Amino acid sequence: MKQRINLSVSILLFIYVASINCAQANEMHKSDSQGFNTAEFIFDHVSDSYEWHILTFNHHHISISLPVILYSKKTGLHVFLSNKFHHEHGVYRGFKIETEGKFKGRIVQLNEKGVLDETNPLPYNFSITKNAFSIIITSILLALIFIGIAKRYKSDPSSPPKGLQNVFEPFIIFIRDEIAIPSIGNKRYIHFMPYLLTLFFFIWFSNLLGLIPIFPGGANVTGNISVTMALALFAFFTINRNANKAYWKHIVSPPGIPVFLKLPIPIMPLVEFIGIFIKPFVLMVRLFANILAGHMVATVLLSLIFIFSSMKACLGFAVAPISLVFLVFMSLLELLVALIQAYVFTLLTAQYIGMATEEHH
Amino acid sequence: MGLVTPDYGLLFWALLSFGVLLFILKKFAWKPILQALKNREESIARSMRLAEQARAEIARLQEESKQIAEKARQEREHEIAETKILREKLLAEAKEHARVETQKMLDKAREQILLEKEAAKKELYTTVAELTISLTEKVLRAQLEDIEKQQEYIERLLDELPRN
């Protein structure tokens, strides 16, 4: 109780001091009134980028340059670091990051006159972007952790688990006993275990790293549709590559359905066929939307401070504690969402695999 | 880059990274981990089964030893009871024997006494007879000093003899 009073007193004091400073700050701030573009701030955060921005200090950007890999039909292969673009304002080897128009944010090719090449505006772009880099970091982290754990299992199989091994063993057992075995069945589950485990830990770790605001976290990896699409494609191929005859038969001619729904117009087979694609599509959208929303809410709460401070500096100071409390709450929620979404994606994938490999009698 | 338009470059890297990660983890992490977990679970199950068996065995042995102890106790009690009976029997026999022996000795002694008495009686008779004879002789001698008197006496005795 006493602590709670202390806390509220200090918050009130903070707001009070902030308001006193208001008068002077307001005068100084007027010269610096570029305003605050909330949408840009949010989209900058949740979008992919060619460099890994860490912080901006006195209008000086500190960021990690990432490799840009381009292939142009006209000029061939180009590999260079993204700082050649001078933080998105320069042109390098006839390429630049477009800042407006329909190609906004993408690397475009310019012709000899230095304007957009209309015939061939977009080179093939396989740049290691922020998200790609983050995926690679996550992958290396996962490989280090789990190969390390595996070593301990191999070297000391009979002793009780310790350290990281002890942390992750319950998850591994949970995925095996609560996801894989009930969904796929006792006979075939072991075949899919490596995939399900990798999937679960990859999503979970990516989600968690996304919650860390600074490098090596902070990238909106699982909130990017390309990444979730890659995961969904893996799910799609895993499901359908292992599907048995009964599953395909079920799709071509669903049992227990009146014949007029199959012939002459194959309505149900069509629905079933679309279902093959809908399943991974839903996986893709669910993960993407959940994580993106989390990141967006977090950035919106953070931008509240700047929105208010661009109106009046004192307001920014006043809103900051409230905004931070909400932000902490949101982060805790996102911590939970990170795990739940990883669980849901893995569970549904396992269920779909189970449906595709189920033996019909 | 639009939020909902997938980017093939990132898609490519995501697919590649995930694929490589899957391959590496499958080979170097998941297989050994899952195998180790399975082995451990099996060994735990086996140990539990063995422990259960051992417990049952111990219970059985305890039951058996209890039975043996019970049996031994009964036997001992039985033996004690038997010994008691035997002792009493022996005691009774000894007493009986002693009684019989005593009786026998008493009888013998009584007989002896009787015999002794008879012998004493006989001796007494003999002595008395001898004394009588000697006395009689003396009396007769004295009385029959005189021949006449002798004659007379003989005659009287002859008279007294029965005539048959």
Side-chain angles (χ1 to χ4, degrees), chain A residues 43 48 50 104 123-127 131-132 135 139 142-143 146-147 150 153 169 176 193-195 197-198 201-202 224-226 229-231 234 288 296, chain B residues 1-22 24-26 28-34 36-38 40-41:
Chain A
F43 276 84
D48 207 355
Y50 293 104
K104 186 174 185 289
Y124 293 109
N125 188 346
F126 285 96
S127 304
N131 281 339
I135 291 169
S139 301
L142 281 169
F146 288 104
I147 291 171
Y153 274 107
E169 193 182 291
R176 189 189 60 186
M193 273 306 285
Y195 168 65
L197 285 167
T198 312
F201 285 110
F202 180 79
N224 186 298
I225 197 142
S226 312
M229 186 185 237
L231 296 174
F234 260 96
F288 158 72
M296 276 186 155
Chain B
M1 290 176 195
L3 274 183
V4 288
T5 26
D7 176 63
Y8 60 88
L10 182 54
L11 180 66
F12 167 76
W13 289 116
L15 283 173
L16 185 69
S17 306
F18 190 78
V20 171
L21 180 69
L22 178 57
I24 290 173
L25 286 185
K26 184 178 180 176
F28 298 109
W30 302 133
K31 286 231 164 120
I33 289 174
L34 290 170
L37 283 177
K38 201 176 153 202
R40 193 208 289 160
E41 269 155 27

Side-chain angles (χ1 to χ4, degrees), chain A residues 84-102:
Chain A
K84 297 291 195 309
F85 284 132
H86 297 288
H87 305 293
E88 310 200 1
H89 300 301
V91 179
Y92 185 74
R93 292 192 196 172
F95 299 107
K96 74 168 218 178
I97 298 170
E98 187 62 279
T99 47
E100 63 232 343
K102 60 175 174 176

